mmCIF file of all heavy atoms in Angstrom:
data_model
loop_
_atom_site.group_PDB
_atom_site.id
_atom_site.type_symbol
_atom_site.label_atom_id
_atom_site.label_comp_id
_atom_site.label_asym_id
_atom_site.label_seq_id
_atom_site.Cartn_x
_atom_site.Cartn_y
_atom_site.Cartn_z
ATOM 1 N N ALA R 38 -7.856 -5.062 33.372
ATOM 2 C CA ALA R 38 -8.301 -6.113 34.282
ATOM 3 C C ALA R 38 -8.422 -5.567 35.707
ATOM 4 O O ALA R 38 -9.393 -5.848 36.410
ATOM 5 C CB ALA R 38 -7.329 -7.286 34.234
ATOM 6 N N ASP R 39 -7.421 -4.775 36.107
ATOM 7 C CA ASP R 39 -7.432 -4.156 37.433
ATOM 8 C C ASP R 39 -8.676 -3.303 37.626
ATOM 9 O O ASP R 39 -9.319 -3.328 38.669
ATOM 10 C CB ASP R 39 -6.201 -3.245 37.573
ATOM 11 C CG ASP R 39 -5.160 -3.852 38.478
ATOM 12 O OD1 ASP R 39 -5.201 -5.096 38.629
ATOM 13 O OD2 ASP R 39 -4.316 -3.092 39.003
ATOM 14 N N PHE R 40 -8.978 -2.530 36.590
ATOM 15 C CA PHE R 40 -10.128 -1.644 36.681
ATOM 16 C C PHE R 40 -11.417 -2.454 36.808
ATOM 17 O O PHE R 40 -12.271 -2.160 37.654
ATOM 18 C CB PHE R 40 -10.203 -0.720 35.470
ATOM 19 C CG PHE R 40 -11.429 0.130 35.456
ATOM 20 C CD1 PHE R 40 -11.540 1.208 36.328
ATOM 21 C CD2 PHE R 40 -12.490 -0.151 34.623
ATOM 22 C CE1 PHE R 40 -12.686 1.985 36.356
ATOM 23 C CE2 PHE R 40 -13.645 0.622 34.640
ATOM 24 C CZ PHE R 40 -13.733 1.694 35.513
ATOM 25 N N LEU R 41 -11.549 -3.504 35.981
ATOM 26 C CA LEU R 41 -12.753 -4.336 36.021
ATOM 27 C C LEU R 41 -12.922 -4.972 37.399
ATOM 28 O O LEU R 41 -14.030 -5.090 37.912
ATOM 29 C CB LEU R 41 -12.692 -5.426 34.949
ATOM 30 C CG LEU R 41 -13.062 -4.984 33.530
ATOM 31 C CD1 LEU R 41 -12.924 -6.146 32.556
ATOM 32 C CD2 LEU R 41 -14.484 -4.420 33.472
ATOM 33 N N ALA R 42 -11.786 -5.346 38.006
ATOM 34 C CA ALA R 42 -11.836 -6.006 39.313
ATOM 35 C C ALA R 42 -12.367 -5.067 40.392
ATOM 36 O O ALA R 42 -13.035 -5.507 41.333
ATOM 37 C CB ALA R 42 -10.443 -6.510 39.678
ATOM 38 N N SER R 43 -12.075 -3.770 40.261
ATOM 39 C CA SER R 43 -12.524 -2.865 41.321
ATOM 40 C C SER R 43 -13.772 -2.066 40.909
ATOM 41 O O SER R 43 -14.133 -1.101 41.567
ATOM 42 C CB SER R 43 -11.383 -1.924 41.714
ATOM 43 O OG SER R 43 -10.794 -1.400 40.560
ATOM 44 N N LEU R 44 -14.386 -2.516 39.827
ATOM 45 C CA LEU R 44 -15.587 -1.827 39.332
ATOM 46 C C LEU R 44 -16.754 -1.991 40.306
ATOM 47 O O LEU R 44 -17.029 -3.082 40.786
ATOM 48 C CB LEU R 44 -15.969 -2.424 37.974
ATOM 49 C CG LEU R 44 -17.119 -1.764 37.217
ATOM 50 C CD1 LEU R 44 -16.747 -0.359 36.790
ATOM 51 C CD2 LEU R 44 -17.493 -2.604 36.003
ATOM 52 N N GLN R 45 -17.423 -0.855 40.624
ATOM 53 C CA GLN R 45 -18.614 -0.901 41.488
ATOM 54 C C GLN R 45 -19.757 -0.190 40.775
ATOM 55 O O GLN R 45 -19.523 0.784 40.075
ATOM 56 C CB GLN R 45 -18.334 -0.176 42.810
ATOM 57 C CG GLN R 45 -17.343 -0.889 43.692
ATOM 58 C CD GLN R 45 -16.964 -0.040 44.875
ATOM 59 O OE1 GLN R 45 -17.791 0.683 45.415
ATOM 60 N NE2 GLN R 45 -15.705 -0.102 45.254
ATOM 61 N N PRO R 46 -20.974 -0.676 40.984
ATOM 62 C CA PRO R 46 -22.104 -0.052 40.284
ATOM 63 C C PRO R 46 -22.296 1.410 40.683
ATOM 64 O O PRO R 46 -22.833 2.199 39.906
ATOM 65 C CB PRO R 46 -23.312 -0.878 40.706
ATOM 66 C CG PRO R 46 -22.827 -1.976 41.572
ATOM 67 C CD PRO R 46 -21.384 -1.807 41.825
ATOM 68 N N GLU R 47 -21.824 1.775 41.881
ATOM 69 C CA GLU R 47 -22.060 3.159 42.338
ATOM 70 C C GLU R 47 -21.059 4.142 41.757
ATOM 71 O O GLU R 47 -21.175 5.352 41.994
ATOM 72 C CB GLU R 47 -21.991 3.245 43.867
ATOM 73 C CG GLU R 47 -22.953 2.348 44.612
ATOM 74 C CD GLU R 47 -22.409 0.939 44.764
ATOM 75 O OE1 GLU R 47 -21.181 0.786 44.817
ATOM 76 O OE2 GLU R 47 -23.217 -0.008 44.787
ATOM 77 N N MET R 48 -20.053 3.660 41.034
ATOM 78 C CA MET R 48 -19.033 4.579 40.515
ATOM 79 C C MET R 48 -19.644 5.613 39.583
ATOM 80 O O MET R 48 -20.427 5.270 38.701
ATOM 81 C CB MET R 48 -17.988 3.803 39.715
ATOM 82 C CG MET R 48 -16.949 3.104 40.551
ATOM 83 S SD MET R 48 -15.789 2.293 39.431
ATOM 84 C CE MET R 48 -14.582 1.697 40.596
ATOM 85 N N THR R 49 -19.270 6.892 39.765
ATOM 86 C CA THR R 49 -19.672 7.925 38.800
ATOM 87 C C THR R 49 -18.421 8.685 38.378
ATOM 88 O O THR R 49 -17.413 8.653 39.072
ATOM 89 C CB THR R 49 -20.669 8.929 39.418
ATOM 90 O OG1 THR R 49 -20.046 9.535 40.552
ATOM 91 C CG2 THR R 49 -21.959 8.249 39.826
ATOM 92 N N GLY R 50 -18.524 9.383 37.271
ATOM 93 C CA GLY R 50 -17.379 10.129 36.757
ATOM 94 C C GLY R 50 -17.126 9.764 35.309
ATOM 95 O O GLY R 50 -18.072 9.618 34.532
ATOM 96 N N CYS R 51 -15.859 9.599 34.929
ATOM 97 C CA CYS R 51 -15.562 9.218 33.560
ATOM 98 C C CYS R 51 -14.279 8.398 33.507
ATOM 99 O O CYS R 51 -13.554 8.304 34.492
ATOM 100 C CB CYS R 51 -15.454 10.448 32.674
ATOM 101 S SG CYS R 51 -13.945 11.394 32.928
#
Side-chain angles (χ1 to χ4, degrees):
Chain R
D39 254 22
F40 175 74
L41 280 178
S43 47
L44 186 66
Q45 291 172 36
E47 303 83 29
M48 280 182 174
T49 59
C51 74

